[in-house]
Amino acid sequence: MSAVLQMRLKAHLEEALRPILLLGQSDAGDVECAAQVFIGDMPPKRQNRAKPGQPPSDDSGRNLPCVVIVPVTGRQEDGESVTTVALICVVYNPQSRDAEAAEADLAVMLSTVTGALAPCANGEPLARRFNLEADSRGRLLPWVKSEAQPRPFLQATMTSIWRYRGWE
């Protein structure tokens, strides 16, 4: 598994998701914001640590919407590394908002991630090194919606397979 792959993937997705505003959470309530990208897991919700007399920061406690990058499997083949990475896409779906809008937010996120990564399978490797591959069934970036959808969240997991030179 390559730490460089994870960091480059995170930076690439952050850039792609930055202009897309989705419903998220803040201490002040629901807000439209860009999705955050995390490696491994979502960080614990930050506590409001504002000093007495100072207002809290705008993003304290906010982790959604987000994409979580989770390396799943890896192997070595003929001097190349192959790493399967799950991209867990999570959007916020408060009860006051209808399910159709949450589905639309998730679709926008999945489409944005696919659009950002698809060129990596067509001769434009991520960071000039990491090539995206289709799975054994020929599917590029397949995704599946999680069976359990705990309110107020909606989640889907996209699978990406990366091939690169080296033994990292």
Side-chain angles (χ1 to χ4, degrees):
M1 172 179 62
S2 172
V4 175
L5 169 61
Q6 293 176 68
M7 293 178 353
R8 297 291 182 155
L9 190 53
K10 178 181 179 182
H12 189 73
L13 291 176
E14 284 174 334
E15 183 178 334
L17 291 165
R18 189 171 296 122
I20 309 300
L21 299 180
L22 302 172
L23 188 64
Q25 299 171 304
S26 80
D27 289 338
D30 298 343
V31 295
E32 287 196 335
C33 56
Q36 297 185 77
V37 181
F38 304 108
I39 295 173
D41 197 0
M42 286 176 47
K45 186 173 179 179
R46 294 180 297 273
Q47 299 298 316
N48 185 347
R49 300 202 187 277
K51 294 181 182 178
Q54 293 182 348
S57 64
D58 288 340
D59 68 348
S60 61
R62 182 182 69 81
N63 290 330
L64 297 174
C66 72
V67 176
V68 183
I69 298 168
V70 181
V72 179
T73 64
R75 64 183 184 277
Q76 307 302 318
E77 292 180 358
D78 302 321
E80 292 184 320
S81 295
V82 179
T83 303
T84 300
V85 177
L87 304 170
I88 302 170
C89 300
V90 185
V91 296
Y92 177 57
N93 178 21
Q95 292 181 5
S96 63
R97 192 164 180 206
D98 65 335
E100 186 175 306
E103 292 288 347
D105 281 357
L106 186 60
V108 166
M109 182 182 281
L110 291 169
S111 178
T112 302
V113 170
T114 299
L117 298 181
C120 300
N122 297 318
E124 296 179 33
L126 179 65
R128 298 184 188 157
R129 179 172 176 205
F130 304 102
N131 292 293
L132 181 63
E133 293 188 344
D135 67 10
S136 61
R137 294 168 55 187
R139 301 173 304 170
L140 187 65
L141 298 169
W143 61 268
V144 63
K145 204 159 132 183
S146 301
E147 288 182 27
Q149 294 292 335
R151 292 228 181 252
F153 313 107
L154 195 58
Q155 171 180 316
T157 301
M158 183 178 283
T159 303
S160 63
I161 301 172
W162 299 90
R163 181 178 294 272
Y164 50 97
R165 294 246 178 241
W167 296 90
E168 297 181 34

